[in-house]
Amino acid sequence: DGVGMRTAPVDLSSCSSLKGLYNCNISVDVNDYNNQNLRYWFVVNDIGNHSVVSKTLTLSVDTIDPVVLNQEMVRVNKTNVYFNLSIDEKNFAGAYYLVTSDPRARWKTICTRLQSGLCYKKDTFSKKGNYDVDIKVVDAAGNTVTQSKSFSII
């Protein structure tokens, strides 16, 4: 179900070179290939009009952010905090939370697999107080959606 061929010329002067090997960055808009497999290859031409074609590779295209279906993602019972996310994402990679009210906090994993579209974790917050957390859902292509939530431990 491809929608056509895309080409993008690369000027070697925009590439970096180390010991005769060139490293070039190239970008091609593939948004209209979302949820499709894309075959790609490179053709290199020299000034003598000789060309070489690279091996053809396949890439799965995912340009859409994950979707969190429920708004009530955090529930508190005493010092237990329950993270319960309903997620729509074909290429799910993980869900994480960060206590933004703690300057030393790091991202903690909620889950790295969905079970029937659900991601669940119970964690204990032993210190009383108000907490602000960011909840981040990531897919395998690096698309990310983040939502902020607040709760209190009494």
Side-chain angles (χ1 to χ4, degrees):
D1 253 26
V3 291
M5 180 177 270
R6 305 279 162 69
T7 61
V10 176
D11 180 1
L12 285 182
S13 65
S14 67
C15 302
S16 62
S17 173
L18 180 63
K19 296 182 181 178
L21 298 176
Y22 286 86
N23 183 5
C24 305
N25 292 320
I26 187 166
S27 179
V28 177
D29 182 6
V30 295
N31 281 325
D32 50 351
Y33 286 93
N34 192 51
N35 288 326
Q36 296 180 50
N37 286 327
L38 175 66
R39 293 180 349 161
Y40 70 97
W41 62 92
F42 296 93
V43 178
V44 179
N45 296 312
D46 66 14
I47 57 174
N49 206 25
H50 299 97
S51 61
V52 70
V53 179
S54 73
K55 180 171 72 170
T56 300
L57 300 170
T58 301
L59 171 72
S60 179
V61 179
D62 180 355
T63 62
I64 305 296
D65 289 340
V67 176
V68 179
L69 300 170
N70 60 325
Q71 291 302 309
E72 296 302 317
M73 296 181 271
V74 179
R75 187 174 58 82
V76 178
N77 183 2
K78 298 181 183 174
T79 60
N80 292 324
V81 176
Y82 300 88
F83 295 92
N84 189 1
L85 289 74
S86 176
I87 299 169
D88 182 14
E89 175 54 54
K90 182 172 131 184
N91 302 307
F92 180 76
Y96 310 88
Y97 76 90
L98 174 72
V99 180
T100 58
S101 49
D102 179 355
R104 295 176 294 142
R106 296 187 308 185
W107 288 101
K108 292 187 176 182
T109 302
I110 300 172
C111 72
T112 55
R113 284 199 179 111
L114 295 178
Q115 294 180 333
S116 301
L118 298 177
C119 175
Y120 176 82
K121 180 176 184 166
K122 176 183 105 170
D123 216 339
T124 302
F125 287 70
S126 54
K127 291 184 181 176
K128 292 181 180 181
N130 298 320
Y131 291 86
D132 298 316
V133 296
D134 280 350
I135 298 172
K136 173 172 70 172
V137 179
V138 182
D139 69 16
N143 300 310
T144 303
V145 63
T146 304
Q147 294 186 20
S148 298
K149 297 293 178 183
S150 298
F151 59 88
S152 297
I153 302 296
I154 302 172

